[in-house]
């Protein structure tokens, strides 16, 4: 909590372990007992967010619902997320995004594909395509400093591509 608080106040490059331990009232040894360094702390924070989203959405009937959870989590910590995103530790946040996109797509496809028989290779291609789509949309939004209206853009995209997944399934379905 102290780390997130500090991240909302200033960029990551201006936060030290001393700042964190002073803010939360622990000593440096306690910090280093749990975390190797600040990047490991970042990894823990984003992993906890990912776990919360996965726990909240054990099944995904609609990919948009899971995206909403990602957006809500990011927006609730907007400045902190942007400070991580614009730091040298961006890769940690991007790994989190990939994990969430992969999870959402896996859960969504397991719901949508019930009763369909698709070759494993084709299923893998569809998963990668949809995960990349979600990751790309969120990455572009982050690149714009979360200023775009991603919800309406995503809703419109879902309307535009309606039926595409059904067609993909039909093309891949084994007979």
């Amino acid at each position: 909590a102290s780390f997130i608080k500090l991240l909302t106040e200033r960029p990551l490059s201006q936060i030290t372990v001393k700042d964190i331990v002073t803010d939360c009232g622990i000593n440096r040894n306690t910090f280093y007992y749990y975390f190797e360094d600040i990047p490991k702390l970042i990894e823990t924070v984003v992993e906890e967010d990912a776990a919360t989203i996965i726990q909240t959405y054990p099944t995904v009937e609609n990919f948009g619902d899971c995206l909403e959870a990602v957006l809500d989590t990011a927006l609730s910590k907007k400045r902190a997320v942007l400070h991580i995103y614009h730091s040298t530790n961006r890769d940690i946040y991007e790994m989190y995004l990939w994990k969430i996109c992969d999870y959402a797509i896996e859960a969504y496809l397991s719901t949508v594909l019930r009763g369909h028989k698709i070759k494993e290779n084709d299923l893998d291609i569809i998963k990668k395509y949809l995960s990349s789509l979600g990751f790309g949309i969120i990455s572009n939004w982050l690149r714009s400093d979360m200023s775009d209206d991603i919800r309406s853009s995503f809703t419109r995209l879902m309307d535009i591509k309606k039926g595409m997944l059904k067609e993909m399934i039909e093309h891949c379905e084994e007979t």
Side-chain angles (χ1 to χ4, degrees):
S2 290
F3 179 58
I4 296 298
K5 179 184 146 222
L6 292 169
L7 265 177
T8 61
E9 297 169 357
R10 56 186 177 225
L12 181 60
S13 62
Q14 296 175 11
I15 298 172
T16 64
V17 171
K18 182 180 179 192
D19 296 331
I20 297 166
V21 299
T22 300
D23 187 77
C24 66
I26 62 170
N27 65 45
R28 291 174 72 85
N29 289 339
T30 302
F31 176 89
Y32 286 113
Y33 177 79
Y34 291 100
F35 309 105
E36 182 179 319
D37 51 19
I38 290 178
K40 284 293 181 191
L41 174 59
I42 294 168
E43 195 173 325
T44 300
V45 168
V46 297
E47 282 291 325
E48 286 176 357
D49 285 346
T52 299
I53 291 169
I54 289 168
Q55 199 171 26
T56 304
Y57 292 90
T59 61
V60 178
E61 302 288 329
N62 177 338
F63 182 65
D65 291 343
C66 199
L67 177 71
E68 284 292 323
V70 173
L71 299 180
D72 290 344
T73 300
L75 287 170
S76 71
K77 303 173 184 175
K78 182 177 179 175
R79 288 182 55 104
V81 167
L82 288 175
H83 282 148
I84 293 170
Y85 184 76
H86 292 300
S87 77
T88 57
N89 298 108
R90 173 189 295 186
D91 61 322
I92 296 170
Y93 198 76
E94 288 178 340
M95 284 188 319
Y96 153 79
L97 285 178
W98 274 117
K99 181 177 181 172
I100 292 299
C101 288
D102 287 344
Y103 169 77
I105 294 305
E106 293 251 350
Y108 175 59
L109 287 177
S110 71
T111 301
V112 172
L113 295 177
R114 280 192 199 118
H116 296 279
K117 192 173 181 182
I118 295 179
K119 292 178 191 168
E120 196 62 37
N121 186 47
D122 287 344
L123 180 59
D124 189 51
I125 291 168
I126 292 171
K127 285 178 186 177
K128 286 178 183 174
Y129 165 72
L130 293 174
S131 289
S132 297
L133 178 67
F135 180 84
I137 290 168
I138 295 170
S139 292
N140 283 331
W141 178 60
L142 289 167
R143 194 175 18 255
S144 76
D145 289 335
M146 300 179 175
S147 62
D148 297 343
D149 182 6
I150 191 171
R151 284 186 169 96
S152 63
S153 295
F154 188 77
T155 300
R156 180 64 184 133
L157 177 63
M158 292 297 104
D159 287 343
I160 291 169
K161 60 184 253 32
K162 199 170 266 175
M164 283 180 63
L165 181 58
K166 182 180 176 186
E167 283 185 37
M168 291 170 83
I169 292 168
E170 289 172 1
H171 287 293
C172 297
E173 198 157 26
E174 294 179 345
T175 52

